Amino acid sequence: LSAHFPAHTGGILSFIQFQGIQKIIAKYDLLYSHFGKRFKTPKVIQQIASKGLQSPYELDQYFYSNRLEQEE
């Protein structure tokens, strides 16, 4: 779902915050039911939802700190 959300517009995190995490997960679930495992909700999106992060700052900090931990 991150295609067509360039960094200069806030990227995918801005889109998630604008739409709301529950709508994003519902969209992934719908796509998953139609097109299969390619559209399974990413773990980081599920973690963001379980933590109840709402503000763009919280999303940004969680997303990037989590990505850094995965790369190490």
Side-chain angles (χ1 to χ4, degrees):
L1 290 178
S2 65
H4 309 295
F5 298 102
H8 70 273
T9 64
I12 188 65
L13 295 177
S14 178
F15 178 73
I16 289 171
Q17 193 271 331
F18 178 74
Q19 292 290 314
I21 194 74
Q22 297 306 324
K23 284 186 180 181
I24 297 295
I25 290 174
K27 180 78 166 183
Y28 270 111
D29 291 343
L30 178 65
L31 292 170
Y32 180 76
S33 69
H34 289 295
F35 302 109
K37 65 182 180 178
R38 179 177 173 202
F39 289 96
K40 184 176 180 186
T41 307
K43 287 181 183 179
V44 71
I45 300 292
Q46 294 171 350
Q47 291 169 350
I48 287 170
S50 70
K51 301 254 186 230
L53 304 177
Q54 296 298 322
S55 77
Y57 177 75
E58 290 176 322
L59 288 173
D60 185 56
Q61 291 300 308
Y62 183 79
F63 182 77
Y64 289 110
S65 66
N66 190 30
R67 296 284 298 252
L68 291 173
E69 290 172 8
Q70 290 178 3
E71 291 175 5
E72 294 176 357

